[in-house]
Amino acid sequence: MPSRTLPTFTLADVQSHNTKKSCYVTLGDNVYDVTDFLDSHPGGADLVLQYAGKDIAEILQDGTSHAHSETAYEVLDDSLVGHLATKKSAPNGSAANGSAVNGHAANGKAKTSATPKTPGPHPRTGMSSEEDLSKETDIDTDYKTHKFLDLNRPLLPQIWNSGFKKDFYLDQVHRPRHYKGGESAPLFGNFLEPLTKTPWWVIPIVWLPPIIYGTYLASLGFQYKLALAPWWMAGFGLWSLVEYIFHRFLFHLDDYLPDNRVGITLHFLLHGVHHYLPMDKYRLVMPPTLFFALCSPFWKVAHFVIFWDWHVATAVYCGAIFGYVCYDLTHYFLHHQNLPLWYKSLKKYHLEHHFLDYNNGFGVTTRFWDRVFGTELVPVVKTA
């Protein structure tokens, strides 16, 4: 394929492209327009915008955040728009003699002689890092290769009518796909479609008012209002265990899943669709109707166990439901937002649950219970 002649930019030109509407970055002497990639970046658009108009060599190799895979460099290759006007630029616009930048050639391709060894693609998912979760799936090729689901057509009827065996279904549903920039693939394909989508902000709007009201009712039974706090916090802490149990024994009921279309369809609706399309922003948090069905029995359990005091049981319950709200929001932000430094390792841990090992790493807000029950996910470690 003949090479194209690309324009030359001054550093000031590049620095002027520093907004969400036009975002340029550099790597060595190359200039990339990553505007279209902002919303698909696993760390969120804000993280990319921090480097808008700047060189990204350092952040690409920053192990504190995460080491970027070759997929990141492939994205850059597709976004190349020109070259910096520097003395190092060769006449054809490429970096002189193909010099490497932080271990990668100036055109974004790795130089094997200078690139640190990184773990290869996972044998099942074919993925090696979290960027792979946002690499857009070639829908036609994927369907022809795997004979699983056609992302061009409604997914639920395909699951119901497929006749898939359980082992094949589980293998395929845990190979993450990325649908057209992270939008929602059709599930029903009819008027029911909007009911399957839940924006993240619905969760606090729906659940915080009843939590506040329930806490108020609970406080009426305490002579000293502050005496409610330990019980409320106990419920909040208890949620992390409930979260682990739900995720491991309900959402990942894989080994005990009935090998029939009823079991497979229910599994897909409950959690399989999230593993199949993990970057779907609208099928990530739990719809309020589903969580209401799950949490209603726990109201009775809480008051059955703490039978001696209705107000104490209610305080514990409200604390636990607040823990759920924190969990669902954390889960969303782990997938779609840049996080403070102390949260970055948790983001990496959870996304490796998706692309590396779905049989471990069930904690979302904490890995504490994974350590207790021996299901801690072994992280990908770079070797020198």
Side-chain angles (χ1 to χ4, degrees), residues 7 10 37 42 45 58 104 117 135 190 210 227-228 236 241 252 274 309 350:
T10 65
F37 180 64
E58 184 175 352
H104 287 82
K117 294 180 180 179
K135 186 177 181 182
N190 56 28
L228 172 147
F236 178 75
L241 176 59
H252 283 276
H274 172 56
D309 194 316
H350 178 66

Side-chain angles (χ1 to χ4, degrees), residues 62-66 338-347:
D62 183 6
T64 303
S65 172
H66 62 269
N338 185 28
L339 299 169
L341 183 61
W342 58 276
Y343 238 156
K344 288 186 185 298
S345 64
L346 189 62
K347 175 185 178 78

Side-chain angles (χ1 to χ4, degrees), residues 142-163:
D142 180 74
Y143 183 64
K144 290 176 182 177
T145 301
H146 298 288
K147 304 298 183 186
F148 183 50
L149 296 177
D150 182 354
L151 285 165
N152 287 311
R153 300 187 292 118
L155 301 178
L156 193 62
Q158 293 182 71
I159 287 286
W160 180 256
N161 296 316
S162 65

Side-chain angles (χ1 to χ4, degrees), residues 284-315:
L284 199 158
V285 299
M286 192 177 296
T289 50
L290 177 57
F291 185 68
F292 181 80
L294 292 172
C295 75
S296 294
F298 282 94
W299 169 265
K300 296 186 178 296
V301 170
H303 288 80
F304 176 78
V305 174
I306 310 176
F307 60 88
W308 64 90
D309 194 316
W310 185 93
H311 297 90
V312 168
T314 301

Side-chain angles (χ1 to χ4, degrees), residues 196-209:
T196 71
K197 301 176 183 179
T198 308
W200 69 268
W201 45 263
V202 167
I203 301 305
I205 288 177
V206 168
W207 292 108
L208 287 182

Side-chain angles (χ1 to χ4, degrees), residues 136-340:
E136 189 167 304
T137 299
D138 185 320
I139 294 175
D140 294 332
T141 300
D142 180 74
Y143 183 64
K144 290 176 182 177
T145 301
H146 298 288
K147 304 298 183 186
F148 183 50
L149 296 177
D150 182 354
L151 285 165
N152 287 311
R153 300 187 292 118
L155 301 178
L156 193 62
Q158 293 182 71
I159 287 286
W160 180 256
N161 296 316
S162 65
F164 292 144
K165 300 300 291 182
K166 181 177 78 171
D167 290 344
F168 174 77
Y169 162 77
L170 290 175
D171 175 71
Q172 288 296 320
V173 83
H174 290 109
R175 295 174 183 258
R177 274 76 163 182
H178 187 66
Y179 179 79
K180 297 181 180 178
E183 296 299 321
S184 298
L187 191 61
F188 286 97
N190 56 28
F191 67 94
L192 295 174
E193 197 72 20
L195 301 179
T196 71
K197 301 176 183 179
T198 308
W200 69 268
W201 45 263
V202 167
I203 301 305
I205 288 177
V206 168
W207 292 108
L208 287 182
I211 290 171
I212 293 170
Y213 181 63
T215 301
Y216 165 73
L217 292 179
S219 71
L220 298 179
F222 290 84
Q223 182 177 359
Y224 301 102
K225 303 305 180 186
L226 288 178
L228 172 147
W231 294 105
W232 197 93
M233 291 303 299
F236 178 75
L238 181 64
W239 166 258
S240 66
L241 176 59
V242 175
E243 165 198 315
Y244 176 88
I245 292 172
F246 270 22
H247 195 182
R248 181 178 180 182
F249 297 108
L250 180 61
F251 298 162
H252 283 276
L253 192 69
D254 301 337
D255 291 340
Y256 303 98
L257 183 66
D259 194 359
N260 57 50
R261 68 180 182 177
V262 174
I264 288 174
T265 301
L266 289 175
H267 181 278
F268 186 77
L269 285 173
L270 186 62
H271 197 57
V273 67
H274 172 56
H275 270 258
Y276 184 58
L277 296 164
M279 302 308 288
D280 183 339
K281 295 181 179 181
Y282 298 107
R283 296 194 181 109
L284 199 158
V285 299
M286 192 177 296
T289 50
L290 177 57
F291 185 68
F292 181 80
L294 292 172
C295 75
S296 294
F298 282 94
W299 169 265
K300 296 186 178 296
V301 170
H303 288 80
F304 176 78
V305 174
I306 310 176
F307 60 88
W308 64 90
D309 194 316
W310 185 93
H311 297 90
V312 168
T314 301
V316 171
Y317 184 80
C318 288
I321 300 301
F322 183 75
Y324 154 72
V325 172
C326 293
Y327 150 79
D328 237 356
L329 297 184
T330 298
H331 189 201
Y332 179 87
F333 294 142
L334 289 178
H335 279 267
H336 290 290
Q337 294 296 325
N338 185 28
L339 299 169

